[in-house]
Amino acid sequence: QVHLAESGGGLVQAGGSLRLSCAASGRTLTNYAMGWFRQAPGKEREFVGTISWNTGVRDYADSVKGRFTISKDNAKTTVYLQMNNLKPEDTAIYYCAARVGLRTSSPDRYADWGQGTQVTVSS
């Protein structure tokens, strides 16, 4: 089991930027895929993006392409979500997740989850 801890959320004005961090501990992330998801009030959990720990290959939801970037720091076993040009509709709790295997946008396929961090974008 991987323990995940997100940080970096907050309140930002539309057009602003935030960088979320997800620190992993408990085991190495070889052969893992790391995902970012978000959940707004009254809505289902939504895929944001994912990265393969081995290869660094990334996928993004269409709604965030060109604005959000996922990166990783192998030495710190940390995954980042850089969010630029934020919009009010990006307001949500953002979660980091981990799974052994290939990247996927399905939250049901991720075994380990962080506690989430709130991102609020004001208009």
Side-chain angles (χ1 to χ4, degrees), residues 89-122:
E89 51 263 42
D90 294 319
T91 295
I93 299 174
Y94 282 71
Y95 297 91
C96 175
R99 71 181 302 267
V100 177
L102 299 177
R103 304 180 317 280
T104 177
S105 61
S106 173
D108 294 339
R109 295 183 178 269
Y110 287 81
D112 300 306
W113 290 82
Q115 81 287 352
T117 185
Q118 177 71 48
V119 171
T120 303
V121 185
S122 63

PDB file of all heavy atoms in Angstrom, residues 89-122:
ATOM      1  N   GLU A  89     -14.557  26.947 -12.826  1.00  0.00           N
ATOM      2  CA  GLU A  89     -15.020  25.559 -12.946  1.00  0.00           C
ATOM      3  C   GLU A  89     -13.954  24.544 -12.545  1.00  0.00           C
ATOM      4  O   GLU A  89     -14.231  23.348 -12.482  1.00  0.00           O
ATOM      5  CB  GLU A  89     -15.507  25.265 -14.368  1.00  0.00           C
ATOM      6  CG  GLU A  89     -14.546  25.638 -15.465  1.00  0.00           C
ATOM      7  CD  GLU A  89     -14.842  26.991 -16.069  1.00  0.00           C
ATOM      8  OE1 GLU A  89     -15.155  27.945 -15.301  1.00  0.00           O
ATOM      9  OE2 GLU A  89     -14.756  27.110 -17.311  1.00  0.00           O
ATOM     10  N   ASP A  90     -12.755  24.992 -12.262  1.00  0.00           N
ATOM     11  CA  ASP A  90     -11.713  24.096 -11.740  1.00  0.00           C
ATOM     12  C   ASP A  90     -11.841  23.916 -10.230  1.00  0.00           C
ATOM     13  O   ASP A  90     -11.113  23.112  -9.637  1.00  0.00           O
ATOM     14  CB  ASP A  90     -10.318  24.645 -12.053  1.00  0.00           C
ATOM     15  CG  ASP A  90     -10.017  24.656 -13.535  1.00  0.00           C
ATOM     16  OD1 ASP A  90     -10.367  23.681 -14.222  1.00  0.00           O
ATOM     17  OD2 ASP A  90      -9.421  25.652 -14.001  1.00  0.00           O
ATOM     18  N   THR A  91     -12.741  24.660  -9.604  1.00  0.00           N
ATOM     19  CA  THR A  91     -12.934  24.546  -8.158  1.00  0.00           C
ATOM     20  C   THR A  91     -13.389  23.138  -7.790  1.00  0.00           C
ATOM     21  O   THR A  91     -14.368  22.630  -8.332  1.00  0.00           O
ATOM     22  CB  THR A  91     -13.985  25.566  -7.685  1.00  0.00           C
ATOM     23  OG1 THR A  91     -13.473  26.881  -7.895  1.00  0.00           O
ATOM     24  CG2 THR A  91     -14.298  25.378  -6.210  1.00  0.00           C
ATOM     25  N   ALA A  92     -12.647  22.513  -6.888  1.00  0.00           N
ATOM     26  CA  ALA A  92     -12.933  21.134  -6.493  1.00  0.00           C
ATOM     27  C   ALA A  92     -11.939  20.707  -5.414  1.00  0.00           C
ATOM     28  O   ALA A  92     -10.959  21.409  -5.145  1.00  0.00           O
ATOM     29  CB  ALA A  92     -12.817  20.187  -7.692  1.00  0.00           C
ATOM     30  N   ILE A  93     -12.198  19.541  -4.855  1.00  0.00           N
ATOM     31  CA  ILE A  93     -11.177  18.873  -4.056  1.00  0.00           C
ATOM     32  C   ILE A  93     -10.354  18.034  -5.023  1.00  0.00           C
ATOM     33  O   ILE A  93     -10.918  17.258  -5.806  1.00  0.00           O
ATOM     34  CB  ILE A  93     -11.796  17.993  -2.958  1.00  0.00           C
ATOM     35  CG1 ILE A  93     -12.622  18.846  -2.001  1.00  0.00           C
ATOM     36  CG2 ILE A  93     -10.693  17.257  -2.201  1.00  0.00           C
ATOM     37  CD1 ILE A  93     -13.381  18.036  -0.972  1.00  0.00           C
ATOM     38  N   TYR A  94      -9.053  18.181  -4.948  1.00  0.00           N
ATOM     39  CA  TYR A  94      -8.154  17.456  -5.839  1.00  0.00           C
ATOM     40  C   TYR A  94      -7.499  16.310  -5.077  1.00  0.00           C
ATOM     41  O   TYR A  94      -6.975  16.495  -3.969  1.00  0.00           O
ATOM     42  CB  TYR A  94      -7.099  18.400  -6.393  1.00  0.00           C
ATOM     43  CG  TYR A  94      -7.629  19.267  -7.503  1.00  0.00           C
ATOM     44  CD1 TYR A  94      -8.533  20.295  -7.252  1.00  0.00           C
ATOM     45  CD2 TYR A  94      -7.257  19.045  -8.833  1.00  0.00           C
ATOM     46  CE1 TYR A  94      -9.051  21.071  -8.265  1.00  0.00           C
ATOM     47  CE2 TYR A  94      -7.766  19.826  -9.862  1.00  0.00           C
ATOM     48  CZ  TYR A  94      -8.654  20.826  -9.569  1.00  0.00           C
ATOM     49  OH  TYR A  94      -9.173  21.600 -10.590  1.00  0.00           O
ATOM     50  N   TYR A  95      -7.542  15.141  -5.709  1.00  0.00           N
ATOM     51  CA  TYR A  95      -7.011  13.930  -5.107  1.00  0.00           C
ATOM     52  C   TYR A  95      -5.890  13.347  -5.956  1.00  0.00           C
ATOM     53  O   TYR A  95      -5.948  13.365  -7.190  1.00  0.00           O
ATOM     54  CB  TYR A  95      -8.104  12.866  -4.988  1.00  0.00           C
ATOM     55  CG  TYR A  95      -9.258  13.227  -4.101  1.00  0.00           C
ATOM     56  CD1 TYR A  95     -10.381  13.863  -4.613  1.00  0.00           C
ATOM     57  CD2 TYR A  95      -9.237  12.916  -2.747  1.00  0.00           C
ATOM     58  CE1 TYR A  95     -11.462  14.194  -3.801  1.00  0.00           C
ATOM     59  CE2 TYR A  95     -10.305  13.236  -1.928  1.00  0.00           C
ATOM     60  CZ  TYR A  95     -11.409  13.867  -2.462  1.00  0.00           C
ATOM     61  OH  TYR A  95     -12.468  14.185  -1.646  1.00  0.00           O
ATOM     62  N   CYS A  96      -4.928  12.812  -5.263  1.00  0.00           N
ATOM     63  CA  CYS A  96      -3.867  12.037  -5.886  1.00  0.00           C
ATOM     64  C   CYS A  96      -4.179  10.564  -5.664  1.00  0.00           C
ATOM     65  O   CYS A  96      -4.706  10.187  -4.603  1.00  0.00           O
ATOM     66  CB  CYS A  96      -2.542  12.413  -5.233  1.00  0.00           C
ATOM     67  SG  CYS A  96      -1.123  11.479  -5.771  1.00  0.00           S
ATOM     68  N   ALA A  97      -3.855   9.719  -6.647  1.00  0.00           N
ATOM     69  CA  ALA A  97      -4.134   8.293  -6.537  1.00  0.00           C
ATOM     70  C   ALA A  97      -3.000   7.494  -7.161  1.00  0.00           C
ATOM     71  O   ALA A  97      -2.275   8.007  -8.025  1.00  0.00           O
ATOM     72  CB  ALA A  97      -5.456   7.954  -7.221  1.00  0.00           C
ATOM     73  N   ALA A  98      -2.887   6.235  -6.756  1.00  0.00           N
ATOM     74  CA  ALA A  98      -1.821   5.377  -7.259  1.00  0.00           C
ATOM     75  C   ALA A  98      -2.359   3.988  -7.565  1.00  0.00           C
ATOM     76  O   ALA A  98      -3.253   3.491  -6.867  1.00  0.00           O
ATOM     77  CB  ALA A  98      -0.692   5.276  -6.223  1.00  0.00           C
ATOM     78  N   ARG A  99      -1.785   3.397  -8.583  1.00  0.00           N
ATOM     79  CA  ARG A  99      -2.144   2.024  -8.925  1.00  0.00           C
ATOM     80  C   ARG A  99      -0.938   1.346  -9.538  1.00  0.00           C
ATOM     81  O   ARG A  99      -0.092   1.992 -10.181  1.00  0.00           O
ATOM     82  CB  ARG A  99      -3.312   1.974  -9.915  1.00  0.00           C
ATOM     83  CG  ARG A  99      -2.979   2.436 -11.305  1.00  0.00           C
ATOM     84  CD  ARG A  99      -4.214   2.365 -12.222  1.00  0.00           C
ATOM     85  NE  ARG A  99      -4.788   1.046 -12.322  1.00  0.00           N
ATOM     86  CZ  ARG A  99      -4.475   0.163 -13.281  1.00  0.00           C
ATOM     87  NH1 ARG A  99      -3.608   0.484 -14.217  1.00  0.00           N
ATOM     88  NH2 ARG A  99      -5.051  -1.025 -13.296  1.00  0.00           N
ATOM     89  N   VAL A 100      -0.868   0.056  -9.374  1.00  0.00           N
ATOM     90  CA  VAL A 100       0.162  -0.730 -10.040  1.00  0.00           C
ATOM     91  C   VAL A 100      -0.356  -1.035 -11.434  1.00  0.00           C
ATOM     92  O   VAL A 100      -1.456  -1.583 -11.583  1.00  0.00           O
ATOM     93  CB  VAL A 100       0.445  -2.040  -9.287  1.00  0.00           C
ATOM     94  CG1 VAL A 100       1.477  -2.864 -10.049  1.00  0.00           C
ATOM     95  CG2 VAL A 100       0.934  -1.752  -7.874  1.00  0.00           C
ATOM     96  N   GLY A 101       0.420  -0.674 -12.441  1.00  0.00           N
ATOM     97  CA  GLY A 101       0.004  -0.988 -13.796  1.00  0.00           C
ATOM     98  C   GLY A 101      -0.040   0.233 -14.683  1.00  0.00           C
ATOM     99  O   GLY A 101       0.574   1.261 -14.407  1.00  0.00           O
ATOM    100  N   LEU A 102      -0.805   0.123 -15.757  1.00  0.00           N
ATOM    101  CA  LEU A 102      -0.831   1.146 -16.780  1.00  0.00           C
ATOM    102  C   LEU A 102      -1.662   2.351 -16.357  1.00  0.00           C
ATOM    103  O   LEU A 102      -2.515   2.257 -15.458  1.00  0.00           O
ATOM    104  CB  LEU A 102      -1.386   0.559 -18.083  1.00  0.00           C
ATOM    105  CG  LEU A 102      -0.585  -0.606 -18.685  1.00  0.00           C
ATOM    106  CD1 LEU A 102      -1.290  -1.130 -19.930  1.00  0.00           C
ATOM    107  CD2 LEU A 102       0.828  -0.194 -18.993  1.00  0.00           C
ATOM    108  N   ARG A 103      -1.437   3.452 -17.040  1.00  0.00           N
ATOM    109  CA  ARG A 103      -2.226   4.643 -16.818  1.00  0.00           C
ATOM    110  C   ARG A 103      -3.676   4.370 -17.201  1.00  0.00           C
ATOM    111  O   ARG A 103      -3.967   3.660 -18.165  1.00  0.00           O
ATOM    112  CB  ARG A 103      -1.706   5.801 -17.681  1.00  0.00           C
ATOM    113  CG  ARG A 103      -0.242   6.109 -17.472  1.00  0.00           C
ATOM    114  CD  ARG A 103       0.236   7.260 -18.355  1.00  0.00           C
ATOM    115  NE  ARG A 103      -0.243   7.194 -19.715  1.00  0.00           N
ATOM    116  CZ  ARG A 103       0.285   6.433 -20.655  1.00  0.00           C
ATOM    117  NH1 ARG A 103       1.284   5.649 -20.364  1.00  0.00           N
ATOM    118  NH2 ARG A 103      -0.196   6.469 -21.881  1.00  0.00           N
ATOM    119  N   THR A 104      -4.569   4.972 -16.452  1.00  0.00           N
ATOM    120  CA  THR A 104      -5.981   4.866 -16.764  1.00  0.00           C
ATOM    121  C   THR A 104      -6.699   6.074 -16.210  1.00  0.00           C
ATOM    122  O   THR A 104      -6.254   6.659 -15.209  1.00  0.00           O
ATOM    123  CB  THR A 104      -6.604   3.574 -16.195  1.00  0.00           C
ATOM    124  OG1 THR A 104      -8.013   3.563 -16.464  1.00  0.00           O
ATOM    125  CG2 THR A 104      -6.395   3.473 -14.693  1.00  0.00           C
ATOM    126  N   SER A 105      -7.798   6.430 -16.849  1.00  0.00           N
ATOM    127  CA  SER A 105      -8.594   7.562 -16.371  1.00  0.00           C
ATOM    128  C   SER A 105      -9.706   7.127 -15.433  1.00  0.00           C
ATOM    129  O   SER A 105     -10.445   7.975 -14.933  1.00  0.00           O
ATOM    130  CB  SER A 105      -9.187   8.306 -17.569  1.00  0.00           C
ATOM    131  OG  SER A 105     -10.040   7.446 -18.300  1.00  0.00           O
ATOM    132  N   SER A 106      -9.825   5.838 -15.201  1.00  0.00           N
ATOM    133  CA  SER A 106     -10.908   5.334 -14.363  1.00  0.00           C
ATOM    134  C   SER A 106     -10.515   5.353 -12.896  1.00  0.00           C
ATOM    135  O   SER A 106      -9.579   4.651 -12.486  1.00  0.00           O
ATOM    136  CB  SER A 106     -11.267   3.902 -14.762  1.00  0.00           C
ATOM    137  OG  SER A 106     -12.204   3.360 -13.856  1.00  0.00           O
ATOM    138  N   PRO A 107     -11.201   6.108 -12.069  1.00  0.00           N
ATOM    139  CA  PRO A 107     -10.845   6.159 -10.647  1.00  0.00           C
ATOM    140  C   PRO A 107     -11.010   4.809  -9.956  1.00  0.00           C
ATOM    141  O   PRO A 107     -10.297   4.534  -8.975  1.00  0.00           O
ATOM    142  CB  PRO A 107     -11.805   7.208 -10.076  1.00  0.00           C
ATOM    143  CG  PRO A 107     -12.928   7.290 -11.040  1.00  0.00           C
ATOM    144  CD  PRO A 107     -12.354   6.976 -12.382  1.00  0.00           C
ATOM    145  N   ASP A 108     -11.878   3.967 -10.436  1.00  0.00           N
ATOM    146  CA  ASP A 108     -12.111   2.672  -9.798  1.00  0.00           C
ATOM    147  C   ASP A 108     -10.896   1.761  -9.874  1.00  0.00           C
ATOM    148  O   ASP A 108     -10.790   0.795  -9.115  1.00  0.00           O
ATOM    149  CB  ASP A 108     -13.301   1.974 -10.451  1.00  0.00           C
ATOM    150  CG  ASP A 108     -14.608   2.710 -10.224  1.00  0.00           C
ATOM    151  OD1 ASP A 108     -14.669   3.515  -9.256  1.00  0.00           O
ATOM    152  OD2 ASP A 108     -15.556   2.501 -10.986  1.00  0.00           O
ATOM    153  N   ARG A 109      -9.983   2.052 -10.777  1.00  0.00           N
ATOM    154  CA  ARG A 109      -8.804   1.203 -10.960  1.00  0.00           C
ATOM    155  C   ARG A 109      -7.621   1.628 -10.093  1.00  0.00           C
ATOM    156  O   ARG A 109      -6.564   1.005 -10.174  1.00  0.00           O
ATOM    157  CB  ARG A 109      -8.406   1.192 -12.425  1.00  0.00           C
ATOM    158  CG  ARG A 109      -9.468   0.542 -13.308  1.00  0.00           C
ATOM    159  CD  ARG A 109      -9.044   0.466 -14.757  1.00  0.00           C
ATOM    160  NE  ARG A 109     -10.045  -0.199 -15.582  1.00  0.00           N
ATOM    161  CZ  ARG A 109     -10.049  -1.495 -15.817  1.00  0.00           C
ATOM    162  NH1 ARG A 109      -9.122  -2.258 -15.300  1.00  0.00           N
ATOM    163  NH2 ARG A 109     -10.984  -2.017 -16.576  1.00  0.00           N
ATOM    164  N   TYR A 110      -7.793   2.667  -9.325  1.00  0.00           N
ATOM    165  CA  TYR A 110      -6.723   3.134  -8.447  1.00  0.00           C
ATOM    166  C   TYR A 110      -6.972   2.622  -7.031  1.00  0.00           C
ATOM    167  O   TYR A 110      -8.061   2.802  -6.487  1.00  0.00           O
ATOM    168  CB  TYR A 110      -6.636   4.656  -8.465  1.00  0.00           C
ATOM    169  CG  TYR A 110      -6.065   5.197  -9.747  1.00  0.00           C
ATOM    170  CD1 TYR A 110      -6.858   5.342 -10.875  1.00  0.00           C
ATOM    171  CD2 TYR A 110      -4.716   5.553  -9.837  1.00  0.00           C
ATOM    172  CE1 TYR A 110      -6.326   5.809 -12.068  1.00  0.00           C
ATOM    173  CE2 TYR A 110      -4.183   6.037 -11.020  1.00  0.00           C
ATOM    174  CZ  TYR A 110      -4.992   6.159 -12.139  1.00  0.00           C
ATOM    175  OH  TYR A 110      -4.459   6.628 -13.312  1.00  0.00           O
ATOM    176  N   ALA A 111      -5.947   2.025  -6.447  1.00  0.00           N
ATOM    177  CA  ALA A 111      -6.111   1.374  -5.141  1.00  0.00           C
ATOM    178  C   ALA A 111      -5.853   2.316  -3.978  1.00  0.00           C
ATOM    179  O   ALA A 111      -6.463   2.170  -2.911  1.00  0.00           O
ATOM    180  CB  ALA A 111      -5.173   0.179  -5.040  1.00  0.00           C
ATOM    181  N   ASP A 112      -4.942   3.246  -4.159  1.00  0.00           N
ATOM    182  CA  ASP A 112      -4.513   4.095  -3.046  1.00  0.00           C
ATOM    183  C   ASP A 112      -4.846   5.551  -3.357  1.00  0.00           C
ATOM    184  O   ASP A 112      -4.600   6.023  -4.468  1.00  0.00           O
ATOM    185  CB  ASP A 112      -3.009   3.940  -2.807  1.00  0.00           C
ATOM    186  CG  ASP A 112      -2.647   2.509  -2.473  1.00  0.00           C
ATOM    187  OD1 ASP A 112      -3.251   1.954  -1.535  1.00  0.00           O
ATOM    188  OD2 ASP A 112      -1.767   1.945  -3.151  1.00  0.00           O
ATOM    189  N   TRP A 113      -5.348   6.251  -2.332  1.00  0.00           N
ATOM    190  CA  TRP A 113      -5.794   7.635  -2.498  1.00  0.00           C
ATOM    191  C   TRP A 113      -5.287   8.506  -1.356  1.00  0.00           C
ATOM    192  O   TRP A 113      -5.161   8.051  -0.211  1.00  0.00           O
ATOM    193  CB  TRP A 113      -7.327   7.693  -2.505  1.00  0.00           C
ATOM    194  CG  TRP A 113      -7.929   7.090  -3.719  1.00  0.00           C
ATOM    195  CD1 TRP A 113      -8.158   5.764  -3.951  1.00  0.00           C
ATOM    196  CD2 TRP A 113      -8.358   7.778  -4.892  1.00  0.00           C
ATOM    197  NE1 TRP A 113      -8.705   5.595  -5.199  1.00  0.00           N
ATOM    198  CE2 TRP A 113      -8.837   6.821  -5.797  1.00  0.00           C
ATOM    199  CE3 TRP A 113      -8.384   9.124  -5.277  1.00  0.00           C
ATOM    200  CZ2 TRP A 113      -9.353   7.156  -7.051  1.00  0.00           C
ATOM    201  CZ3 TRP A 113      -8.882   9.466  -6.513  1.00  0.00           C
ATOM    202  CH2 TRP A 113      -9.359   8.482  -7.388  1.00  0.00           C
ATOM    203  N   GLY A 114      -5.026   9.756  -1.690  1.00  0.00           N
ATOM    204  CA  GLY A 114      -4.726  10.733  -0.661  1.00  0.00           C
ATOM    205  C   GLY A 114      -6.005  11.303  -0.078  1.00  0.00           C
ATOM    206  O   GLY A 114      -7.111  10.945  -0.489  1.00  0.00           O
ATOM    207  N   GLN A 115      -5.827  12.215   0.855  1.00  0.00           N
ATOM    208  CA  GLN A 115      -6.983  12.776   1.562  1.00  0.00           C
ATOM    209  C   GLN A 115      -7.625  13.933   0.794  1.00  0.00           C
ATOM    210  O   GLN A 115      -8.736  14.353   1.120  1.00  0.00           O
ATOM    211  CB  GLN A 115      -6.559  13.259   2.954  1.00  0.00           C
ATOM    212  CG  GLN A 115      -5.901  14.628   3.000  1.00  0.00           C
ATOM    213  CD  GLN A 115      -4.482  14.638   2.453  1.00  0.00           C
ATOM    214  OE1 GLN A 115      -3.895  13.601   2.165  1.00  0.00           O
ATOM    215  NE2 GLN A 115      -3.898  15.840   2.326  1.00  0.00           N
ATOM    216  N   GLY A 116      -6.929  14.445  -0.192  1.00  0.00           N
ATOM    217  CA  GLY A 116      -7.467  15.532  -1.003  1.00  0.00           C
ATOM    218  C   GLY A 116      -7.039  16.897  -0.510  1.00  0.00           C
ATOM    219  O   GLY A 116      -6.727  17.084   0.675  1.00  0.00           O
ATOM    220  N   THR A 117      -7.025  17.857  -1.434  1.00  0.00           N
ATOM    221  CA  THR A 117      -6.715  19.239  -1.094  1.00  0.00           C
ATOM    222  C   THR A 117      -7.675  20.144  -1.868  1.00  0.00           C
ATOM    223  O   THR A 117      -7.935  19.910  -3.048  1.00  0.00           O
ATOM    224  CB  THR A 117      -5.244  19.576  -1.390  1.00  0.00           C
ATOM    225  OG1 THR A 117      -4.942  20.891  -0.942  1.00  0.00           O
ATOM    226  CG2 THR A 117      -4.914  19.458  -2.881  1.00  0.00           C
ATOM    227  N   GLN A 118      -8.205  21.140  -1.185  1.00  0.00           N
ATOM    228  CA  GLN A 118      -9.221  22.004  -1.777  1.00  0.00           C
ATOM    229  C   GLN A 118      -8.584  23.075  -2.643  1.00  0.00           C
ATOM    230  O   GLN A 118      -7.641  23.759  -2.216  1.00  0.00           O
ATOM    231  CB  GLN A 118     -10.042  22.672  -0.677  1.00  0.00           C
ATOM    232  CG  GLN A 118     -11.081  23.658  -1.175  1.00  0.00           C
ATOM    233  CD  GLN A 118     -12.255  22.988  -1.864  1.00  0.00           C
ATOM    234  OE1 GLN A 118     -12.818  22.027  -1.350  1.00  0.00           O
ATOM    235  NE2 GLN A 118     -12.634  23.492  -3.038  1.00  0.00           N
ATOM    236  N   VAL A 119      -9.128  23.207  -3.839  1.00  0.00           N
ATOM    237  CA  VAL A 119      -8.751  24.301  -4.741  1.00  0.00           C
ATOM    238  C   VAL A 119     -10.010  25.108  -5.022  1.00  0.00           C
ATOM    239  O   VAL A 119     -11.024  24.550  -5.459  1.00  0.00           O
ATOM    240  CB  VAL A 119      -8.161  23.759  -6.055  1.00  0.00           C
ATOM    241  CG1 VAL A 119      -7.971  24.891  -7.061  1.00  0.00           C
ATOM    242  CG2 VAL A 119      -6.838  23.064  -5.784  1.00  0.00           C
ATOM    243  N   THR A 120      -9.947  26.390  -4.762  1.00  0.00           N
ATOM    244  CA  THR A 120     -11.070  27.279  -5.010  1.00  0.00           C
ATOM    245  C   THR A 120     -10.609  28.412  -5.905  1.00  0.00           C
ATOM    246  O   THR A 120      -9.637  29.099  -5.588  1.00  0.00           O
ATOM    247  CB  THR A 120     -11.632  27.848  -3.699  1.00  0.00           C
ATOM    248  OG1 THR A 120     -12.010  26.769  -2.840  1.00  0.00           O
ATOM    249  CG2 THR A 120     -12.848  28.721  -3.969  1.00  0.00           C
ATOM    250  N   VAL A 121     -11.316  28.582  -7.024  1.00  0.00           N
ATOM    251  CA  VAL A 121     -10.976  29.618  -7.983  1.00  0.00           C
ATOM    252  C   VAL A 121     -12.114  30.635  -8.005  1.00  0.00           C
ATOM    253  O   VAL A 121     -13.254  30.293  -8.336  1.00  0.00           O
ATOM    254  CB  VAL A 121     -10.750  29.039  -9.387  1.00  0.00           C
ATOM    255  CG1 VAL A 121     -10.281  30.140 -10.344  1.00  0.00           C
ATOM    256  CG2 VAL A 121      -9.733  27.910  -9.342  1.00  0.00           C
ATOM    257  N   SER A 122     -11.811  31.859  -7.661  1.00  0.00           N
ATOM    258  CA  SER A 122     -12.829  32.905  -7.635  1.00  0.00           C
ATOM    259  C   SER A 122     -12.849  33.655  -8.961  1.00  0.00           C
ATOM    260  O   SER A 122     -11.820  33.803  -9.620  1.00  0.00           O
ATOM    261  CB  SER A 122     -12.554  33.873  -6.494  1.00  0.00           C
ATOM    262  OG  SER A 122     -11.312  34.524  -6.700  1.00  0.00           O
TER     263      SER A 122
END
